Amino acid sequence: MFKGSVRVLVPALAATCLMAGMAQAETWRTWAIHPEGYPNVVALESFAENVSAGTEGRIEPQVYANGVLGSQPDAIEQVRAGAIAVGNFNMGPMGEIVPATNVLSLPFIFRDIDQMHTAMDGEIGQRFSDALSEQGLVALSWMDSGSRSFYNTKRAIKTPADMEGLKFRVMNNDLYVQMVDQLGGNATPMAYGEVYQSLKTGVIDGAENNYPSFESSNHYEVAKYYSVTNHLIIPECICVSSRVWDKVSDADKEIVTQAALDAAEMQRELWAKESDKARQDVIDAGVSVNEVTDPKAFQDAMQPVYAQFIQANPDLESLITDIQAVE
Ligand code: GTR
């Protein structure tokens, strides 16, 4: 379902407005890393349609899927610069630019996905939005990205000792290098788009991600062991460039914000279904999925990562404890 070429959404309203001699539509290039059919891209396309309809064609988001506008770290910079208007960003690679978001990259920071939603939809989410806005990004809503687990081409990981000698691709953030180090493996930061080939050629032995990404990226074709560690639960935003946002009228801001909130709600529903389906699909395709025998061993190994993080970022300690206190 994820296959297919990039579809650029050009709503009919734009043409109608132009024919009627109305002001030219403001085109908003929208960056998405995932392919068509992926919950985030389906939701972004709905966002685009609703923004176009709601603003009567004044704003025309165009969704570029498959990361064709650049890697995630590049796209974050392009959105900050206003060269791309909107991005659906994971908070993982965001940490290099907005340090507070690194709290979301601490392994096991959330107990489960419901707790993450409660935190991000409330005052805690607002604190992250404030930090993002200081770096030129307006977070309009929060999408789900499930939880991430390790997979590899060699063997099932049951205890941290099984990580030893394996090289794992991680997203671009030093915290993940520390995380894998502490578990006894080797980490290599790498762009998402390079992982498939690197797994295939043996440059890396594994990576870590949620089921829908594991499936849609085709990593499951090569990495036949998926071990459920659930070590990271990282939310994603629909983020608009402040440079673009500042030119939008208050009335249109309201329309765009509502469309982003609706898109996130849609994405979360699609996500829950797609996650279960992707799990079954990869099992049907011959992937061996195992639960780790001692999750606590993985959690305990993260203590030095937390200690070092708090030492380097004492101002973020209260954010950590506030998240942990969310019911
Ligand atoms: C996915 C996430 C992407 C990207 C990717 C990765 O789960 O939705 O934004 O961060 O993981 O591993 O690079």
Side-chain angles (χ1 to χ4, degrees), residues 109-269:
I109 182 76
F110 293 111
R111 276 189 305 279
D112 54 34
I113 288 168
D114 286 346
Q115 190 207 15
M116 182 271 284
H117 286 161
T118 307
M120 297 310 289
D121 291 340
E123 180 268 330
I124 287 176
Q126 189 55 49
R127 283 197 244 169
F128 289 109
S129 304
D130 292 346
L132 287 161
S133 74
E134 280 170 28
Q135 296 301 327
L137 296 162
V138 182
L140 297 180
S141 62
W142 298 104
M143 287 186 175
D144 202 346
S145 187
S147 61
R148 299 172 75 102
S149 289
F150 289 103
Y151 50 86
N152 75 90
T153 58
K154 299 281 197 274
R155 56 178 175 259
I157 291 167
K158 295 176 184 154
T159 71
D162 296 318
M163 306 266 298
E164 217 172 298
L166 298 183
K167 195 185 257 188
F168 291 93
R169 173 269 175 173
V170 291
M171 287 188 284
N172 197 31
N173 187 322
D174 193 46
L175 270 173
Y176 307 138
V177 176
Q178 292 175 37
M179 169 183 83
V180 173
D181 276 357
Q182 289 301 324
L183 290 169
N186 303 314
T188 309
M190 186 184 282
Y192 189 51
E194 290 166 27
V195 180
Y196 179 77
Q197 206 51 30
S198 303
L199 280 170
K200 221 173 167 174
T201 55
V203 169
I204 52 172
D205 303 304
E208 44 87 58
N209 223 314
N210 49 56
Y211 288 116
S213 292
F214 180 51
E215 183 185 24
S216 67
S217 60
N218 295 327
H219 297 173
Y220 74 96
E221 288 176 3
V222 198
K224 292 297 186 191
Y225 299 95
Y226 188 99
S227 305
V228 184
T229 45
N230 289 331
H231 54 274
L232 289 169
I233 294 180
I234 315 176
E236 305 198 355
C237 69
I238 297 182
C239 279
V240 178
S241 169
S242 303
R243 287 174 187 247
V244 172
W245 192 243
D246 290 347
K247 289 187 246 152
V248 177
S249 71
D250 286 348
D252 282 353
K253 274 182 182 156
E254 227 171 273
I255 291 162
V256 175
T257 303
Q258 192 54 53
L261 289 167
D262 292 346
E265 197 179 319
M266 174 194 240
Q267 190 269 353
R268 290 182 192 185
E269 277 166 28

Side-chain angles (χ1 to χ4, degrees), residues 30 32 35 52 79 98 108 118 126 133 231 243 273 279 297 322:
T30 299
S52 171
V79 171
V98 184
F108 306 106
T118 307
Q126 189 55 49
S133 74
H231 54 274
R243 287 174 187 247
K273 285 189 210 128
R279 180 178 188 277
D322 289 351

Side-chain angles (χ1 to χ4, degrees), residues 265-324:
E265 197 179 319
M266 174 194 240
Q267 190 269 353
R268 290 182 192 185
E269 277 166 28
L270 292 172
W271 182 268
K273 285 189 210 128
E274 185 51 41
S275 215
D276 290 346
K277 184 181 171 300
R279 180 178 188 277
Q280 196 52 52
D281 285 350
V282 297
I283 291 173
D284 292 348
V287 171
S288 145
V289 173
N290 72 284
E291 303 291 325
V292 297
T293 39
D294 183 6
K296 201 167 173 300
F298 289 83
Q299 291 162 17
D300 288 350
M302 294 303 107
Q303 275 168 15
V305 179
Y306 275 73
Q308 209 177 314
F309 183 78
I310 290 167
Q311 198 183 17
N313 306 277
D315 53 319
L316 293 175
E317 186 170 8
S318 61
L319 190 49
I320 297 173
T321 43
D322 289 351
I323 288 179
Q324 287 166 338

